[in-house]
């Protein structure tokens, strides 16, 4: 297949890491039995002029499973509520809006740095029910662009690790103070995972993980309005069985040790 690599991308640090997750989803779509079936992600990779080879080895299949579980929680929420608002924080080039295909009465907002949104505009455009907001999530005024009274589902995939704990706490409190009710789902990494991948991540993109979570009870304490609904080790996901046997055996062995088992966990809260 002839590739039309028409978009050359120059991003740095945590902004560049969006290409890691995009590549993971594109590679999954090339498998015989893909987990996400994310055709759009593969299309985007084929249009981007970038050295994706340097991003191999960042646990691509784990990122795909993470995305799948977040998709499930999001789908369950929008299917059980009317007139929902979806807030996708640190969206990067995530194609979730294409995968979920939300109901007509939903409002969807993708939020990321202005430089990232400029890249995203190559592939998506604002339209009725869908809007991109160019802002860091730690800025103060972007939230005012989102309707506040509808049930809201907030996704923060691969985002909060790049914030400090104080920034995470501030963000969570702003969210629960602004919206009347909803849910928020995000992933956390333990200190073993962050320290193990620190040098590779910094060498490849210049990015740095800041928020380490070894005890999820500490997350629960960040905001008294948030009530944890679910927590899941990525290695305990039912979608692990769709990976090649070699990967399944490795992950099964890793689950025997807490430091490995809790490297990446998915958390779902309601408020």
């Amino acid at each position: 297949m002839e590739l039309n690599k028409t978009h050359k991308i120059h991003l740095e640090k945590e902004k560049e890491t969006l290409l890691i997750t995009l590549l993971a989803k594109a590679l999954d779509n090339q498998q015989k039995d893909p987990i996400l079936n994310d055709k759009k992600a593969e299309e985007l990779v084929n249009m981007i002029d970038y050295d994706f080879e340097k991003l191999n080895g960042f646990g691509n299949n784990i990122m795909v499973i993470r995305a799948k579980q977040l998709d499930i929680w999001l789908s369950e929420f929008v299917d059980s509520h009317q007139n929902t608002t979806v807030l996708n924080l640190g969206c990067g080039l995530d194609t979730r809006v294409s995968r979920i295909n939300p109901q007509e009465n939903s409002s969807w907002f993708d939020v990321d740095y202005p430089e990232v949104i400029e890249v995203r505009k190559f592939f998506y455009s604002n339209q009725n029910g869908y809007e991109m907001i160019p802002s860091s999530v730690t800025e103060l005024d972007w939230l005012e662009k989102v309707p506040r009274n509808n049930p809201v589902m907030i996704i923060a995939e691969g985002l909060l690790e790049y914030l400090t704990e104080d920034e995470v706490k501030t963000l969570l409190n702003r969210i629960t103070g602004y919206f009347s009710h909803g849910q928020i789902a995000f992933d956390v990494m333990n200190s073993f995972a962050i320290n193990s991948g620190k040098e590779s991540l910094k060498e490849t993109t210049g990015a740095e993980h800041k928020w380490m979570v070894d005890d999820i009870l500490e997350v629960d304490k960040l905001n008294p309005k948030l009530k944890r609904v679910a927590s899941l080790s990525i290695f305990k996901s039912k979608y692990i069985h769709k990976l090649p046997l070699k990967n399944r055996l490795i992950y099964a062995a890793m689950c025997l040790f807490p430091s490995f088992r809790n490297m990446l966990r998915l958390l779902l809260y309601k408020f």
Side-chain angles (χ1 to χ4, degrees), residues 58-225:
F58 278 95
N60 290 336
N61 47 31
I62 293 303
M63 294 181 192
V64 169
I65 292 172
R66 175 181 68 183
K68 181 66 175 179
Q69 183 60 56
L70 294 175
D71 281 2
I72 289 172
W73 285 339
L74 174 55
S75 295
E76 290 173 348
F77 185 87
V78 297
D79 288 345
S80 59
H81 294 80
Q82 295 293 319
N83 302 312
T84 54
T85 295
V86 177
L87 195 54
N88 193 19
L89 303 182
C91 62
L93 291 180
D94 177 47
T95 54
R96 178 164 282 115
V97 67
S98 301
R99 295 197 303 272
I100 300 297
N101 193 20
Q103 303 169 5
E104 290 185 5
N105 58 2
S106 296
S107 298
W108 188 298
F109 298 87
D110 278 338
V111 185
D112 213 320
Y113 290 108
E115 307 97 297
V116 173
I117 295 300
E118 284 304 307
V119 172
R120 189 171 179 84
K121 286 179 180 177
F122 290 143
F123 312 106
Y124 286 94
S125 58
N126 290 340
Q127 54 190 288
N128 186 34
Y130 175 75
E131 182 177 345
M132 294 175 285
I133 299 177
S135 175
S136 164
V137 298
T138 58
E139 295 293 331
L140 297 177
D141 57 352
W142 64 268
L143 199 54
E144 302 297 328
K145 300 178 182 179
V146 182
R148 65 194 309 166
N149 294 321
N150 293 338
V152 63
M153 180 68 185
I154 301 147
I155 301 291
E157 177 183 358
L159 168 69
L160 301 187
E161 298 92 333
Y162 295 101
L163 307 183
T164 65
E165 182 176 302
D166 284 344
E167 288 173 330
V168 172
K169 182 176 181 178
T170 299
L171 177 62
L172 294 178
N173 279 277
R174 285 187 63 222
I175 285 170
T176 58
Y178 184 80
F179 296 106
S180 59
H181 62 291
Q183 294 185 2
I184 180 168
F186 53 90
D187 53 292
V188 295
M189 298 172 64
N190 68 8
S191 55
F192 177 79
I194 287 178
N195 290 328
S196 297
K198 181 186 299 183
E199 293 305 318
S200 178
L201 181 65
K202 193 168 185 178
E203 181 181 345
T204 305
T205 66
E208 181 182 359
H209 289 136
K210 299 173 183 176
W211 187 38
M212 307 178 188
V213 176
D214 291 320
D215 182 356
I216 57 175
L217 294 178
E218 296 300 316
V219 183
D220 297 347
K221 296 175 183 177
L222 292 178
N223 186 324
K225 292 182 180 180

